[in-house]
Amino acid sequence: MKALQKTAPTFGVEFREVPRPVPRPGEALIEITAAGVCGTDVHIFEWSGGYDFMARLLPLTLGHEFAGRVVEVAGEAEGLAPGELVAVIPSAPCGSCAHCLRGAAEHCEHRSAKGTSADGGFAPWITVPVVNCLKAPNGVDDELAALVEPLTVAQEAVLKGGVMRGDRVLVVGPGTIGQAIALYARMAEAAEVVVVGKNDPHRFETLRALGFLDLIDTRDGDLETALASRFAGRKFDIIFEATGVPEVVQGALTFLRKEGVLLVAGIHPRPAALDLTRLVRERHQIRGSQRAPRHVWPRVLDSLVTEGERIRHMITHRMPLDQGVEALELARTRQASKIILSPVTRKRSS
Ligand SMILES: [Zn+2]
Ligand SMILES: [Zn+2]
Protein backbone atom coordinates (compact mmCIF):
# COMPACT_ATOMS: atom_id res chain seq x y z
CA MET A 1 0.00 0.00 0.00
CA LYS A 2 1.07 3.61 -0.53
CA ALA A 3 1.58 5.62 2.65
CA LEU A 4 2.44 9.29 3.09
CA GLN A 5 5.65 9.26 5.11
CA LYS A 6 8.20 11.51 6.68
CA THR A 7 11.45 9.99 5.50
CA ALA A 8 14.16 12.47 6.52
CA PRO A 9 14.64 15.17 9.18
CA THR A 10 14.25 18.00 6.69
CA PHE A 11 11.43 19.76 4.80
CA GLY A 12 8.99 17.46 2.99
CA VAL A 13 7.15 14.16 2.94
CA GLU A 14 6.82 11.45 0.31
CA PHE A 15 4.67 8.52 -0.67
CA ARG A 16 6.32 5.17 -0.12
CA GLU A 17 5.19 1.64 -0.84
CA VAL A 18 4.93 -0.21 2.47
CA PRO A 19 3.44 -3.59 3.41
CA ARG A 20 -0.16 -3.69 4.51
CA PRO A 21 -0.09 -4.20 8.30
CA VAL A 22 -1.27 -7.43 9.88
CA PRO A 23 -3.12 -7.20 13.21
CA ARG A 24 -1.55 -8.86 16.24
CA PRO A 25 -3.73 -10.36 18.98
CA GLY A 26 -5.78 -7.57 20.53
CA GLU A 27 -5.54 -5.40 17.43
CA ALA A 28 -7.99 -4.50 14.70
CA LEU A 29 -7.18 -3.93 11.05
CA ILE A 30 -8.90 -0.69 10.03
CA GLU A 31 -9.57 0.48 6.50
CA ILE A 32 -9.08 4.20 6.89
CA THR A 33 -11.91 6.18 5.31
CA ALA A 34 -11.12 9.68 6.56
CA ALA A 35 -7.96 11.29 7.96
CA GLY A 36 -7.60 14.91 8.98
CA VAL A 37 -4.56 17.07 8.23
CA CYS A 38 -3.46 18.76 11.43
CA GLY A 39 -1.12 21.60 12.36
CA THR A 40 1.12 18.92 13.83
CA ASP A 41 1.42 17.25 10.41
CA VAL A 42 2.29 20.64 8.94
CA HIS A 43 5.02 21.24 11.55
CA ILE A 44 6.44 17.79 10.82
CA PHE A 45 6.15 18.36 7.06
CA GLU A 46 8.03 21.68 7.36
CA TRP A 47 10.37 20.30 10.04
CA SER A 48 10.02 23.67 11.73
CA GLY A 49 10.77 22.58 15.29
CA GLY A 50 9.06 20.80 18.16
CA TYR A 51 9.20 17.27 16.71
CA ASP A 52 12.95 16.57 16.68
CA PHE A 53 12.35 13.37 18.67
CA MET A 54 10.93 11.88 15.46
CA ALA A 55 14.28 11.96 13.65
CA ARG A 56 15.32 8.53 14.99
CA LEU A 57 11.93 6.99 14.07
CA LEU A 58 11.92 7.77 10.35
CA PRO A 59 10.56 6.69 7.95
CA LEU A 60 7.14 7.04 9.56
CA THR A 61 3.61 7.40 8.17
CA LEU A 62 2.01 10.66 9.34
CA GLY A 63 -1.61 11.29 10.34
CA HIS A 64 -3.13 10.95 13.81
CA GLU A 65 -6.71 12.12 13.21
CA PHE A 66 -8.40 9.22 11.51
CA ALA A 67 -11.45 7.02 11.37
CA GLY A 68 -12.33 3.97 9.39
CA ARG A 69 -14.09 0.65 9.02
CA VAL A 70 -13.14 -2.44 10.96
CA VAL A 71 -11.88 -5.10 8.50
CA GLU A 72 -10.87 -7.82 10.94
CA VAL A 73 -9.98 -8.27 14.56
CA ALA A 74 -7.26 -10.56 15.88
CA GLY A 75 -8.34 -12.20 19.11
CA GLU A 76 -10.97 -10.69 21.38
CA ALA A 77 -13.25 -8.37 19.42
CA GLU A 78 -14.89 -6.77 22.47
CA GLY A 79 -17.98 -5.64 20.63
CA LEU A 80 -16.31 -4.63 17.38
CA ALA A 81 -17.77 -6.10 14.23
CA PRO A 82 -16.36 -5.96 10.70
CA GLY A 83 -17.75 -3.02 8.75
CA GLU A 84 -18.29 -0.85 11.81
CA LEU A 85 -17.15 2.75 11.67
CA VAL A 86 -14.77 3.67 14.47
CA ALA A 87 -12.96 6.79 15.65
CA VAL A 88 -9.48 5.81 16.73
CA ILE A 89 -7.58 7.03 19.79
CA PRO A 90 -4.14 7.46 18.22
CA SER A 91 -2.01 6.99 21.32
CA ALA A 92 -1.55 4.02 23.58
CA PRO A 93 0.33 3.62 26.87
CA CYS A 94 3.15 1.04 26.92
CA GLY A 95 1.52 -1.10 29.61
CA SER A 96 4.82 -2.00 31.25
CA CYS A 97 6.45 1.15 32.70
CA ALA A 98 6.18 2.12 36.38
CA HIS A 99 3.29 4.50 35.71
CA CYS A 100 1.35 1.95 33.66
CA LEU A 101 1.93 -0.76 36.27
CA ARG A 102 0.57 1.42 39.07
CA GLY A 103 -2.54 2.18 37.02
CA ALA A 104 -1.61 5.72 35.97
CA ALA A 105 -1.39 5.02 32.25
CA GLU A 106 -2.05 8.71 31.47
CA HIS A 107 1.47 9.43 32.79
CA CYS A 108 3.14 6.73 30.68
CA GLU A 109 6.47 7.94 29.37
CA HIS A 110 6.77 5.36 26.61
CA ARG A 111 3.43 6.05 24.99
CA SER A 112 3.24 5.14 21.34
CA ALA A 113 1.33 7.57 19.18
CA LYS A 114 0.11 6.80 15.69
CA GLY A 115 1.35 9.47 13.31
CA THR A 116 4.14 10.81 15.52
CA SER A 117 5.94 7.81 17.01
CA ALA A 118 4.32 4.91 15.12
CA ASP A 119 2.91 4.64 11.59
CA GLY A 120 -0.22 6.78 11.30
CA GLY A 121 -3.38 7.28 9.29
CA PHE A 122 -2.22 8.72 5.96
CA ALA A 123 -2.45 5.24 4.47
CA PRO A 124 -5.24 2.94 3.30
CA TRP A 125 -4.94 0.56 6.28
CA ILE A 126 -3.69 0.62 9.83
CA THR A 127 -3.65 -1.74 12.79
CA VAL A 128 -4.66 -0.36 16.19
CA PRO A 129 -5.42 -1.86 19.59
CA VAL A 130 -9.09 -2.87 19.78
CA VAL A 131 -9.38 -0.84 23.00
CA ASN A 132 -8.47 2.31 21.04
CA CYS A 133 -11.45 1.93 18.70
CA LEU A 134 -14.61 3.83 19.60
CA LYS A 135 -17.72 2.97 17.68
CA ALA A 136 -19.25 6.01 15.97
CA PRO A 137 -22.81 6.63 17.12
CA ASN A 138 -25.66 6.77 14.61
CA GLY A 139 -25.54 9.95 12.56
CA VAL A 140 -21.76 10.32 12.87
CA ASP A 141 -20.13 9.59 9.51
CA ASP A 142 -16.52 9.01 8.52
CA GLU A 143 -15.38 12.61 8.22
CA LEU A 144 -17.02 13.62 11.52
CA ALA A 145 -15.43 10.60 13.19
CA ALA A 146 -12.04 11.78 11.88
CA LEU A 147 -12.61 15.13 13.61
CA VAL A 148 -13.01 13.49 17.01
CA GLU A 149 -9.29 13.59 17.86
CA PRO A 150 -8.85 17.37 17.47
CA LEU A 151 -12.24 17.91 19.11
CA THR A 152 -11.10 15.95 22.17
CA VAL A 153 -8.00 18.15 22.39
CA ALA A 154 -10.25 21.23 22.46
CA GLN A 155 -12.81 19.72 24.84
CA GLU A 156 -10.01 18.79 27.24
CA ALA A 157 -8.61 22.35 27.03
CA VAL A 158 -12.05 23.78 27.88
CA LEU A 159 -12.41 21.37 30.81
CA LYS A 160 -8.87 22.15 32.07
CA GLY A 161 -9.50 25.87 31.63
CA GLY A 162 -12.62 25.47 33.77
CA VAL A 163 -15.04 27.42 31.56
CA MET A 164 -18.28 28.05 33.41
CA ARG A 165 -21.64 29.59 32.60
CA GLY A 166 -21.35 33.34 32.10
CA ASP A 167 -17.58 33.40 31.55
CA ARG A 168 -15.95 35.80 29.14
CA VAL A 169 -13.62 33.72 26.98
CA LEU A 170 -10.91 34.83 24.58
CA VAL A 171 -9.48 32.31 22.12
CA VAL A 172 -6.22 33.35 20.48
CA GLY A 173 -5.71 31.30 17.34
CA PRO A 174 -8.40 30.70 14.68
CA GLY A 175 -7.30 27.22 13.54
CA THR A 176 -9.11 23.96 14.12
CA ILE A 177 -8.19 23.72 17.81
CA GLY A 178 -9.13 27.37 18.40
CA GLN A 179 -12.41 26.86 16.54
CA ALA A 180 -13.25 23.77 18.56
CA ILE A 181 -12.27 25.45 21.85
CA ALA A 182 -14.69 28.24 20.94
CA LEU A 183 -17.40 25.64 20.23
CA TYR A 184 -16.95 23.76 23.50
CA ALA A 185 -16.68 27.02 25.48
CA ARG A 186 -20.02 28.03 23.99
CA MET A 187 -21.48 24.61 24.87
CA ALA A 188 -20.20 25.24 28.43
CA GLU A 189 -22.39 28.38 28.34
CA ALA A 190 -19.69 31.01 28.22
CA ALA A 191 -21.42 34.39 27.94
CA GLU A 192 -18.98 35.71 25.40
CA VAL A 193 -16.49 33.98 23.09
CA VAL A 194 -14.10 36.22 21.18
CA VAL A 195 -11.61 34.73 18.70
CA VAL A 196 -8.39 36.40 17.59
CA GLY A 197 -6.51 35.64 14.39
CA LYS A 198 -3.95 37.28 12.19
CA ASN A 199 -4.70 37.85 8.53
CA ASP A 200 -6.46 34.50 8.24
CA PRO A 201 -9.59 35.16 6.14
CA HIS A 202 -10.30 31.47 5.41
CA ARG A 203 -10.34 30.45 9.05
CA PHE A 204 -12.42 33.49 9.94
CA GLU A 205 -14.91 32.36 7.31
CA THR A 206 -15.09 28.97 9.02
CA LEU A 207 -15.59 30.65 12.41
CA ARG A 208 -18.49 32.69 11.03
CA ALA A 209 -20.05 29.50 9.68
CA LEU A 210 -19.73 28.07 13.19
CA GLY A 211 -21.62 31.09 14.50
CA PHE A 212 -18.72 33.12 15.92
CA LEU A 213 -19.03 36.74 14.85
CA ASP A 214 -16.85 38.37 17.49
CA LEU A 215 -13.59 38.06 15.56
CA ILE A 216 -10.50 40.22 15.92
CA ASP A 217 -7.87 40.43 13.21
CA THR A 218 -4.45 41.53 14.45
CA ARG A 219 -3.06 41.99 10.96
CA ASP A 220 -2.34 45.68 11.51
CA GLY A 221 -0.49 45.38 14.79
CA ASP A 222 0.09 43.29 17.86
CA LEU A 223 -2.47 41.56 20.03
CA GLU A 224 -2.34 44.19 22.75
CA THR A 225 -3.11 47.08 20.40
CA ALA A 226 -5.93 45.20 18.71
CA LEU A 227 -7.57 44.15 21.98
CA ALA A 228 -7.04 47.51 23.71
CA SER A 229 -8.92 49.38 21.01
CA ARG A 230 -11.82 46.95 21.24
CA PHE A 231 -12.07 46.08 24.93
CA ALA A 232 -10.61 49.10 26.75
CA GLY A 233 -10.30 47.94 30.35
CA ARG A 234 -12.59 44.89 30.06
CA LYS A 235 -10.87 41.65 30.87
CA PHE A 236 -11.49 37.98 30.24
CA ASP A 237 -12.04 35.17 32.73
CA ILE A 238 -10.23 32.57 30.63
CA ILE A 239 -7.87 33.01 27.71
CA PHE A 240 -6.93 30.12 25.45
CA GLU A 241 -3.63 30.29 23.57
CA ALA A 242 -3.87 28.14 20.45
CA THR A 243 -1.32 29.77 18.17
CA GLY A 244 2.06 28.38 19.20
CA VAL A 245 3.45 31.93 18.97
CA PRO A 246 5.36 32.57 22.23
CA GLU A 247 4.98 36.37 22.06
CA VAL A 248 1.21 35.95 22.34
CA VAL A 249 1.46 34.66 25.91
CA GLN A 250 2.56 37.90 27.61
CA GLY A 251 0.26 39.99 25.44
CA ALA A 252 -2.75 37.85 26.33
CA LEU A 253 -2.07 38.09 30.09
CA THR A 254 -2.69 41.85 29.87
CA PHE A 255 -6.32 41.05 29.16
CA LEU A 256 -6.79 38.38 31.81
CA ARG A 257 -8.69 39.33 34.96
CA LYS A 258 -7.21 38.85 38.41
CA GLU A 259 -7.06 35.13 39.20
CA GLY A 260 -8.03 34.36 35.62
CA VAL A 261 -6.74 31.33 33.74
CA LEU A 262 -4.47 31.34 30.71
CA LEU A 263 -4.69 27.93 29.13
CA VAL A 264 -1.85 27.17 26.71
CA ALA A 265 -2.71 24.62 24.03
CA GLY A 266 -0.28 25.64 21.27
CA ILE A 267 3.04 23.92 20.62
CA HIS A 268 5.74 26.57 20.86
CA PRO A 269 9.04 26.32 18.97
CA ARG A 270 10.72 28.79 21.40
CA PRO A 271 10.34 29.71 25.07
CA ALA A 272 8.08 32.64 25.94
CA ALA A 273 9.17 35.63 28.04
CA LEU A 274 6.92 36.30 31.03
CA ASP A 275 6.63 39.11 33.57
CA LEU A 276 6.38 36.88 36.62
CA THR A 277 5.95 39.76 39.07
CA ARG A 278 2.80 40.74 37.26
CA LEU A 279 1.72 37.10 37.22
CA VAL A 280 2.12 37.02 41.01
CA ARG A 281 0.33 40.31 41.61
CA GLU A 282 -2.56 39.36 39.36
CA ARG A 283 -2.56 35.83 40.78
CA HIS A 284 -2.88 34.52 37.24
CA GLN A 285 -3.04 30.79 36.60
CA ILE A 286 -1.20 29.36 33.60
CA ARG A 287 -2.20 25.84 32.64
CA GLY A 288 -1.11 23.55 29.88
CA SER A 289 -3.32 21.09 28.06
CA GLN A 290 -2.53 18.62 25.33
CA ARG A 291 -3.95 15.21 24.55
CA ALA A 292 -7.31 14.35 26.13
CA PRO A 293 -7.70 11.43 28.52
CA ARG A 294 -9.82 8.59 27.30
CA HIS A 295 -13.00 9.55 29.16
CA VAL A 296 -13.26 12.71 27.04
CA TRP A 297 -13.69 10.69 23.81
CA PRO A 298 -17.22 9.35 24.39
CA ARG A 299 -18.25 12.82 25.52
CA VAL A 300 -17.07 14.30 22.21
CA LEU A 301 -18.72 11.52 20.20
CA ASP A 302 -21.98 12.37 21.98
CA SER A 303 -21.56 16.06 21.16
CA LEU A 304 -21.34 15.10 17.47
CA VAL A 305 -24.77 13.50 17.60
CA THR A 306 -26.37 16.86 18.36
CA GLU A 307 -23.79 19.35 17.02
CA GLY A 308 -22.34 17.35 14.12
CA GLU A 309 -23.89 19.31 11.29
CA ARG A 310 -22.59 22.59 12.70
CA ILE A 311 -19.19 21.09 13.50
CA ARG A 312 -18.97 19.78 9.92
CA HIS A 313 -18.40 23.41 8.84
CA MET A 314 -14.89 23.02 10.27
CA ILE A 315 -14.02 20.82 7.26
CA THR A 316 -13.04 23.16 4.45
CA HIS A 317 -11.48 20.70 2.01
CA ARG A 318 -11.97 17.05 1.10
CA MET A 319 -9.19 15.48 -0.96
CA PRO A 320 -8.02 12.01 -1.97
CA LEU A 321 -5.06 10.66 -0.02
CA ASP A 322 -2.86 10.63 -3.11
CA GLN A 323 -3.02 14.44 -3.06
CA GLY A 324 -1.65 14.46 0.48
CA VAL A 325 1.41 16.55 -0.41
CA GLU A 326 -0.79 19.20 -2.03
CA ALA A 327 -3.04 19.08 1.03
CA LEU A 328 -0.09 19.74 3.37
CA GLU A 329 0.91 22.68 1.15
CA LEU A 330 -2.63 24.11 1.33
CA ALA A 331 -2.63 23.78 5.10
CA ARG A 332 0.87 25.21 5.41
CA THR A 333 -0.02 28.30 3.42
CA ARG A 334 -3.27 28.61 5.40
CA GLN A 335 -5.43 28.37 2.29
CA ALA A 336 -7.26 25.52 3.97
CA SER A 337 -8.47 25.22 7.54
CA LYS A 338 -9.29 21.51 8.00
CA ILE A 339 -8.63 19.07 5.17
CA ILE A 340 -9.96 15.53 5.27
CA LEU A 341 -8.08 12.98 3.18
CA SER A 342 -9.94 9.90 2.02
CA PRO A 343 -7.87 6.94 0.86
CA VAL A 344 -10.90 5.24 -0.63
CA THR A 345 -13.65 6.73 -2.74
CA ARG A 346 -16.30 7.48 -0.21
CA LYS A 347 -19.57 5.74 -0.96
CA ARG A 348 -22.36 7.87 0.38
CA SER A 349 -25.52 5.88 0.84
CA SER A 350 -27.83 8.65 -0.37
ZN1 LIG B 1 -4.03 16.92 15.42
ZN1 LIG C 1 3.81 3.01 30.26
Side-chain angles (χ1 to χ4, degrees):
M1 65 177 189
K2 271 202 162 32
L4 187 56
Q5 294 199 318
K6 186 79 188 172
T7 54
T10 173
F11 185 96
V13 289
E14 60 181 300
F15 278 100
R16 285 184 72 234
E17 191 64 35
V18 297
R20 173 170 153 172
V22 177
R24 290 173 302 185
E27 287 186 334
L29 175 66
I30 305 292
E31 180 182 22
I32 297 166
T33 49
V37 175
C38 171
T40 295
D41 302 312
V42 173
H43 286 307
I44 298 168
F45 172 55
E46 294 180 316
W47 206 247
S48 51
Y51 295 90
D52 310 287
F53 68 89
M54 289 178 68
R56 65 188 170 83
L57 304 169
L58 306 180
L60 190 103
T61 305
L62 302 187
H64 57 273
E65 305 177 356
F66 57 92
R69 305 276 163 182
V70 177
V71 179
E72 61 170 290
V73 177
E76 275 296 299
E78 290 176 46
L80 279 190
E84 260 167 3
L85 173 63
V86 291
V88 180
I89 300 176
S91 81
C94 73
S96 56
C97 73
H99 297 294
C100 285
L101 291 176
R102 70 180 169 88
E106 65 276 18
H107 298 144
C108 174
E109 281 161 14
H110 308 288
R111 180 172 286 277
S112 103
K114 302 286 184 191
T116 48
S117 68
D119 285 332
F122 292 162
W125 289 280
I126 193 167
T127 51
V128 293
V130 168
V131 292
N132 283 32
C133 297
L134 284 96
K135 209 174 137 179
N138 279 341
V140 174
D141 62 11
D142 308 71
E143 62 179 26
L144 286 179
L147 278 183
V148 173
E149 196 277 342
L151 293 175
T152 62
V153 171
Q155 170 70 89
E156 171 66 4
V158 168
L159 292 169
K160 272 236 169 72
V163 177
M164 296 198 298
R165 173 184 291 189
D167 277 346
R168 297 191 68 227
V169 171
L170 179 70
V171 182
V172 188
T176 295
I177 298 300
Q179 292 163 17
I181 286 173
L183 279 165
Y184 285 106
R186 187 169 65 195
M187 286 183 225
E189 302 187 57
E192 195 175 355
V193 179
V194 180
V195 186
V196 178
K198 184 168 191 163
N199 194 15
D200 213 339
H202 299 292
R203 287 169 174 174
F204 272 18
E205 205 174 299
T206 300
L207 280 156
R208 285 189 202 96
L210 295 170
F212 296 101
L213 305 177
D214 228 341
L215 306 174
I216 296 178
D217 190 344
T218 61
R219 90 167 70 197
D220 299 321
D222 59 13
L223 179 69
E224 288 175 79
T225 319
L227 285 174
S229 62
R230 179 83 167 268
F231 296 107
R234 287 172 66 218
K235 298 203 171 181
F236 293 88
D237 299 295
I238 303 171
I239 299 180
F240 291 90
E241 188 291 313
T243 61
V245 179
E247 291 69 30
V248 162
V249 174
Q250 184 66 65
L253 284 173
T254 314
F255 295 90
L256 189 62
R257 72 154 163 84
K258 261 194 170 50
E259 298 192 13
V261 173
L262 171 69
L263 188 130
V264 182
I267 297 289
H268 294 246
R270 308 181 296 285
L274 277 183
D275 179 348
L276 289 177
T277 301
R278 193 165 81 190
L279 176 98
V280 170
R281 292 199 170 124
E282 298 287 313
R283 302 183 294 279
H284 283 156
Q285 310 292 303
I286 299 183
R287 299 177 191 167
S289 179
Q290 193 192 14
R291 183 183 54 237
R294 185 187 178 89
H295 66 84
V296 173
W297 283 69
R299 184 180 174 131
V300 165
L301 279 164
D302 283 348
S303 75
L304 282 172
V305 174
T306 51
E307 299 287 322
E309 290 319 306
R310 188 180 277 268
I311 289 174
R312 197 186 298 279
H313 289 298
M314 288 172 64
I315 302 169
T316 55
H317 294 68
R318 295 163 178 87
M319 297 169 72
L321 175 64
D322 58 17
Q323 287 176 24
V325 181
E326 290 90 330
L328 282 163
E329 270 299 336
L330 279 181
R332 186 170 95 83
T333 52
R334 293 188 303 171
Q335 296 174 72
S337 185
K338 176 58 74 186
I339 303 170
I340 298 287
L341 298 174
S342 294
V344 293
T345 315
R346 189 142 11 105
K347 303 173 203 94
R348 287 225 181 229
S349 46
S350 58

